[in-house]
Amino acid sequence: MNDQPERWTQATVHPDMWADPSDDPRNSEGNSPDGELATLQDFLTNYRATLRMKCEGLDAEQLARRSVPPSTMSLLGLVRHLAEVERDWRNWITDGDPLPKLYGVRDADFDGAVAEQAVVDAAYSALAREQAATDAVLAEHPDLGERLGKDGIAVRELLVHRIEEYARHCGHADLLRERVDGRVGQ
C-alpha cells in the first residue's frame, strides 16, 4: 500500500494548471496595470490569492499537516507566518515602538499551527487584518522612492520584498498541497 496521494488537478484545459483560466480568479482580462505601483500591487494581490487557493478545500488537520521531518512547515504555518511578517513589515516603516509579535518566540508561527479549527480561523483572521493594516499604511505613501521608518527603507523595496516573500511561500505551498492531497498546478 502506498500512502502517497495521487497527483491530480481540477484544470481540464491545461492539466498543469491549478484551475482552468476561465475559473482562475487571478486572471484578468485586458491590459496589465499602468505604472510601477499598480504593477507591484497587482503581483502582490495575485500571490496572496494563490496562497488562499492552495489552502482551499482543506480541513484543519490537512492545513496543519507538516511537510517532512525535521521541517515544521505546513500550509497553516505559512498563513500564520505571513500574518507575522505583514506585522513585522509595518514595524520597518514606523518611527514608533514596534508592535509585539503575534505568535511570540521565533518559529512559533509554525510550531503553533495545530489541527484545530479555532487556530485556522484565527490565522486567516490575523492574516486579513495584518494585510489590511500594512496596505493602509503604505497607501499613505504612493511615492515608491520615499524612505520610511528608522532605517529609511524605500516603499519600493518593501513592496518588492513583500512580493518575494509571498512568491517564495507560494512555492512552498505548491509542495505542501501536493503532499497533503496530490493536487498540483501553477
Side-chain angles (χ1 to χ4, degrees), residues 136-178:
V137 170
L138 286 173
E140 298 172 9
H141 304 280
D143 177 357
L144 293 173
E146 183 180 357
R147 296 197 170 271
L148 303 173
K150 296 171 187 157
D151 294 329
I153 187 169
V155 172
R156 177 183 292 102
E157 182 180 352
L158 180 61
L159 284 170
V160 170
H161 188 70
R162 290 171 85 195
I163 293 165
E164 177 271 334
E165 184 87 9
Y166 278 91
R168 179 166 25 97
H169 290 313
C170 282
H172 294 133
D174 286 339
L175 298 171
L176 289 163
R177 180 61 187 252
E178 185 175 359

Side-chain angles (χ1 to χ4, degrees), residues 16 33 35 51-52 55 88 100 110 112 134:
D16 63 333
L51 179 69
R52 286 190 306 274
C55 295
D88 195 39
F110 289 103
T134 304

Side-chain angles (χ1 to χ4, degrees), residues 1 9 20-21 24 32 37 40 42 46 63 90 106 113 122 127 143 156 159 165 175 182:
M1 167 119 182
T9 180
D20 287 328
D24 192 335
S32 60
L37 177 59
L40 293 171
D42 188 56
N46 285 332
L63 288 167
R90 270 197 331 284
R106 179 178 171 88
L127 181 60
D143 177 357
R156 177 183 292 102
L159 284 170
E165 184 87 9
L175 298 171

